[in-house]
């Protein structure tokens, strides 16, 4: 609780201060609130994060005096009359600054002058004088309840994109790229040197879409096949010929593509069951989270879930997660004989303990809250290396996974990549509703996974254990 001081209460020499760590999120919020989009204070065009050289807007620093004046001294009820500021140095992202006020004069007419300073250690960054009207009556307030803010930036996408920098572009067969997003995504990925697209589909439609939306197809190979079925078959054939190291879905139904991927003769099957993973960059989570299976296996058996889990662990390792933590989801976090998903989760966890699933830590059953929230896990008394820290979420069935992935995308503002695993090459199974950014993220994921398949080593610096 804070009790404000009136004009009569204030004495020359009274002082107050706060300390503040300057973060990238502060710059985003200030840009939105002020409308200041000066690129000096924004991330680079290639999506890189801010670093210690990024200057903080000077008026962001100036605004911090308001927090001390309004909350501490004089406190609630204070109104600004004027403020002069001298900016003597530049604050940077990552700095901790001290914002301080000292009463220097009582001016009469209910006005008080404060010296206002911001320091980084001993270095003065801002100096000035504020004149304010203190409250005429002391007021006491508690902590204000403000709406929470989530900064929807996708820092993990940028981190993975950086990891692809020294990799050669992956030859990728794009099946039926016949609308703007399914064509623009691979073209943008080619510009980023992620893939070398081989466009397979109705050439006239592809050219028409490119012309309508200003997409440059210069230097990109196009194979003219009017039928989606024929285009899907040709993409699989290109893999067998060694011309393609990945396949990407365009404007066709998933079944039309996967029919050729999974066929027993001439398909792309391996000894492991094919499954789908959504790689999600969720703004409020510290790391990537992988959701599986949300697109292929409708009601997986426990045998299916073994391969689904192993596929996801392999992908997580390829994306730089050294020992993925796998939470097997159910509606509850205890084994219930009437809930099959809880039984499956317990079996998978024990199979991982016995080495039948390798490369990650597997625990379950876990409910969604205690899989990703440490506070929820602690509240429910769970003792687990996975609970609250899960990198991979294995869902009970396709319906649950699809709902979860789309909830993260549309309600939590996640950026998602879709990829099919367990085939001879990665298959980028993007949704027809995905925009070009999501397709680019899928390309990044596929390139990193293909490199891991080829070399057995991840090129992504570890994010966390």
């Amino acid at each position: 609780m804070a009790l404000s001081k009136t004009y009569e209460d204030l004495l020359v020499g009274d002082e107050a201060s706060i300390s503040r760590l300057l973060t990238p999120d502060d710059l985003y919020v200030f840009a939105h609130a002020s409308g200041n989009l000066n690129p000096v204070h924004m991330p680079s065009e290639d999506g890189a994060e801010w670093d210690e050289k990024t200057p903080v807007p000077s008026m962001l620093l100036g605004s911090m005096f308001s927090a001390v004046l309004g909350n501490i001294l004089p406190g609630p009820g204070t109104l600004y009359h004027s403020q002069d500021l001298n900016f003597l140095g530049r604050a940077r992202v990552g700095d901790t600054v001290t914002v301080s006020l000292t009463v220097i004069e009582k001016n009469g007419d209910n006005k008080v002058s404060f010296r206002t300073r911001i320091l980084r250690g001993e270095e003065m960054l801002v100096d000035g004088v504020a004149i304010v009207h203190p409250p005429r009556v002391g007021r006491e307030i508690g902590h204000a309840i403000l709406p929470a803010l989530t900064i929807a930036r996708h820092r993990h996408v940028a981190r993975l994109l950086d990891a692809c920098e020294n990799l050669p572009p992956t030859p990728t067969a794009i099946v039926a790229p016949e609308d703007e997003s399914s064509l623009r995504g691979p073209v943008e990925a080619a510009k980023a040197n992620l893939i070398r697209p081989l466009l397979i589909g109705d050439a006239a439609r592809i050219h028409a879409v490119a012309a309508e939306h200003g997409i440059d197809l210069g230097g990109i190979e196009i194979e003219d096949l009017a039928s989606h079925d024929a285009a899907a078959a040709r993409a699989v054939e290109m893999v067998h010929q060694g011309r393609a190291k990945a396949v990407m879905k365009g404007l066709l139904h998933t079944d039309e593509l996967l029919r050729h991927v999974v066929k027993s003769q001439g398909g792309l099957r391996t000894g492991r069951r094919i499954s789908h993973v959504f790689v999600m960059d969720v703004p409020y989570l510290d790391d990537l989270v992988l959701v599986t299976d949300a697109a292929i296996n409708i009601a997986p058996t426990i045998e299916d879930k073994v391969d689904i889990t192993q596929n996801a662990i392999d992908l997580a390792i390829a994306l730089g997660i050294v020992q993925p933590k796998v939470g097997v989801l159910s509606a509850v976090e205890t084994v219930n004989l009437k809930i099959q998903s809880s039984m499956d989760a317990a079996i998978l966890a024990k199979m991982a303990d016995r080495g039948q699933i390798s490369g990650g830590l597997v625990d379950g059953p876990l409910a969604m809250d205690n899989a990703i929230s440490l506070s929820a896990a602690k509240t429910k008394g769970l003792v687990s290396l996975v609970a609250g820290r899960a990198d991979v979420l294995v869902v009970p069935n396709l319906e649950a996974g699809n709902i979860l992935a789309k909830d993260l995308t549309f309600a939590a503002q996640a950026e998602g990549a879709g990829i099919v695993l367990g085939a001879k090459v990665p298959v980028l199974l993007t949704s027809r509703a995905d925009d070009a950014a999501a397709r680019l993220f899928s390309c990044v994921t596929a390139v990193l996974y293909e490199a891991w398949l080829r070399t057995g080593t991840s090129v992504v610096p570890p994010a966390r254990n």
Side-chain angles (χ1 to χ4, degrees):
M1 305 289 283
L3 179 63
S4 57
K5 290 189 175 184
T6 65
Y7 181 89
E8 291 74 20
D9 296 328
L10 290 167
L11 301 173
V12 172
D14 284 352
E15 57 185 11
S17 65
I18 61 171
S19 291
R20 175 80 174 268
L21 172 66
L22 301 174
T23 71
D25 284 356
D26 294 330
L27 274 66
Y28 272 127
V29 172
F30 183 78
H32 275 283
S34 68
N36 178 8
L37 304 180
N38 185 346
V40 170
H41 308 302
M42 301 297 287
S44 61
E45 291 183 1
D46 63 5
E49 289 294 317
W50 285 286
D51 58 27
E52 67 277 1
K53 297 180 181 179
T54 304
V56 171
S58 294
M59 288 307 297
L60 170 58
L61 295 179
S63 70
M64 294 179 183
F65 296 121
S66 181
V68 187
L69 290 166
N71 296 336
I72 304 174
L73 189 72
T78 299
L79 297 174
Y80 252 118
H81 176 74
S82 64
Q83 172 84 61
D84 68 62
L85 298 168
N86 296 302
F87 298 105
L88 308 175
R90 297 289 179 193
R92 311 274 178 187
V93 167
D95 286 347
T96 297
V97 296
T98 300
V99 183
S100 65
L101 307 173
T102 304
V103 177
I104 56 175
E105 186 178 2
K106 298 177 70 172
N107 306 329
D109 193 25
N110 200 47
K111 294 179 183 175
V112 178
S113 296
F114 287 82
R115 186 180 181 192
T116 56
R117 293 169 292 176
I118 296 180
L119 293 92
R120 177 177 53 209
E122 299 298 321
E123 179 186 2
M124 182 85 71
L125 300 178
V126 184
D127 191 16
V129 174
I131 301 177
V132 304
H133 296 283
R136 294 188 179 275
V137 177
R139 297 176 61 181
E140 189 175 52
I141 61 169
H143 294 293
I145 300 175
L146 298 175
L149 295 178
T150 298
I151 307 300
R153 58 190 174 102
H154 301 109
R155 57 192 183 278
H156 303 302
V157 175
R159 179 172 61 85
L160 296 182
L161 184 59
D162 288 343
C164 296
E165 185 174 351
N166 295 319
L167 294 175
T170 301
T172 304
I174 318 296
V175 183
E178 296 166 359
D179 70 342
E180 181 186 5
S181 63
S182 65
L183 184 58
R184 188 179 297 279
V187 170
E188 293 298 322
K191 290 180 180 177
N193 205 41
L194 293 169
I195 68 171
R196 180 165 57 83
L198 308 166
L199 308 183
I200 311 169
D202 187 324
R205 289 189 62 186
I206 293 170
H207 282 294
V209 169
E212 180 182 356
H213 298 286
I215 301 172
D216 183 7
L217 298 180
I220 295 179
E221 180 180 344
I222 301 176
E223 188 158 331
D224 186 15
L225 288 172
S227 161
H228 286 176
D229 185 71
R234 178 61 180 142
V236 170
E237 184 181 17
M238 281 185 170
V239 173
H240 287 292
Q241 293 173 342
R243 294 189 59 200
K245 299 296 183 183
V247 175
M248 185 175 187
K249 173 179 173 284
L251 189 65
L252 75 165
H253 288 286
T254 298
D255 289 347
E256 292 180 282
L257 176 59
L258 290 184
R259 181 185 312 120
H260 293 279
V261 171
V262 303
K263 61 186 179 184
S264 57
Q265 298 296 322
L268 301 178
R269 284 182 177 274
T270 63
R272 194 181 291 175
R273 186 170 186 82
I274 287 174
S275 62
H276 181 272
V277 176
F278 276 116
V279 181
M280 312 299 290
D281 185 347
V282 185
Y284 60 84
L285 294 181
D286 292 335
D287 296 294
L288 292 168
V289 63
L290 281 63
V291 178
T292 190
D293 181 337
I296 293 180
N297 294 284
I298 297 174
T301 65
I302 186 63
E303 291 87 354
D304 298 335
K305 289 181 180 180
V306 172
D307 283 349
I308 289 170
T309 303
Q310 189 66 67
N311 285 342
I313 289 173
D314 290 350
L315 177 60
I317 293 171
L319 298 181
I321 303 173
V322 176
Q323 189 178 43
K325 297 176 177 64
V326 181
V328 188
L329 298 185
S330 182
V332 293
E333 60 278 342
T334 54
V335 178
N336 186 321
L337 300 182
K338 295 181 180 179
I339 303 177
Q340 185 61 45
S341 60
S342 76
M343 299 284 288
D344 289 352
I347 293 170
L348 291 170
K350 183 53 66 177
M351 290 178 75
D353 288 345
R354 296 291 188 265
Q356 294 170 273
I357 299 171
S358 62
L361 298 173
V362 182
D363 195 12
L366 295 174
M368 180 62 184
D369 57 348
N370 48 62
I372 64 171
S373 167
L374 272 173
S375 61
K378 290 177 180 178
T379 297
K380 294 191 176 181
L382 296 180
V383 179
S384 166
L385 294 174
V386 175
R389 307 175 180 89
D391 304 298
V392 177
L393 302 175
V394 178
V395 298
N397 53 46
L398 182 145
E399 290 173 304
N402 197 271
I403 291 169
L404 173 57
K406 288 180 178 177
D407 186 34
L408 291 173
T409 299
F410 293 100
Q413 302 300 308
E415 190 68 83
I419 186 170
V420 173
L421 310 172
K424 291 180 179 179
V425 298
V427 179
L428 290 73
L429 198 62
T430 52
S431 167
R432 285 172 291 164
D434 284 345
D435 60 15
R439 293 174 192 272
L440 182 67
F441 186 18
S442 293
C443 289
V444 170
T445 302
V447 167
L448 294 170
Y449 183 64
E450 193 277 332
W452 180 82
L453 286 176
R454 182 164 32 85
T455 66
T457 303
S458 172
V459 299
V460 185
R464 124 173 116 70
N465 277 327

